[in-house]
Amino acid sequence: MSEGHDVQELSDVDIHVYEAVASQAVESGGVAGLEAVIRATGLEDDEVRDSLAALVNQGYVVPRDDGYGLGPHTFEVEY
């Protein structure tokens, strides 16, 4: 991540959604679809959309094609 980003400042929901994006992106070759992320998290649609918006705004997740991919990062995610 660029300077100023601190993964520890993310909410538990944002971390959960980020991990779902990461695992789905790896499984699909780089892009995690919204429906797959919702299923993977088990969260409500609006909660996932709000979290994705926050993650995109902070640069952790980037919109790609018909889904989301990971932004630049310096930390690892276990899933």
Side-chain angles (χ1 to χ4, degrees):
M1 297 257 46
S2 62
E3 287 185 40
H5 284 96
D6 184 359
V7 71
Q8 294 177 351
E9 293 180 3
L10 295 175
S11 72
D12 290 343
V13 170
D14 291 343
I15 291 170
H16 186 53
V17 171
Y18 181 88
E19 289 172 342
V21 170
S23 67
Q24 295 298 314
V26 167
E27 289 177 14
S28 69
V31 178
L34 176 60
E35 294 302 318
V37 173
I38 292 169
R39 280 191 307 276
T41 63
L43 299 171
E44 295 292 324
D45 181 275
D46 289 342
E47 194 170 19
V48 172
R49 289 178 188 272
D50 290 346
S51 178
L52 285 168
L55 291 167
V56 167
N57 187 47
Q58 296 172 48
Y60 291 102
V61 171
V62 293
R64 291 220 173 114
D65 302 320
D66 293 330
Y68 298 89
L70 299 180
H73 57 283
T74 59
F75 54 90
E76 294 183 28
V77 177
E78 293 182 28
Y79 49 87

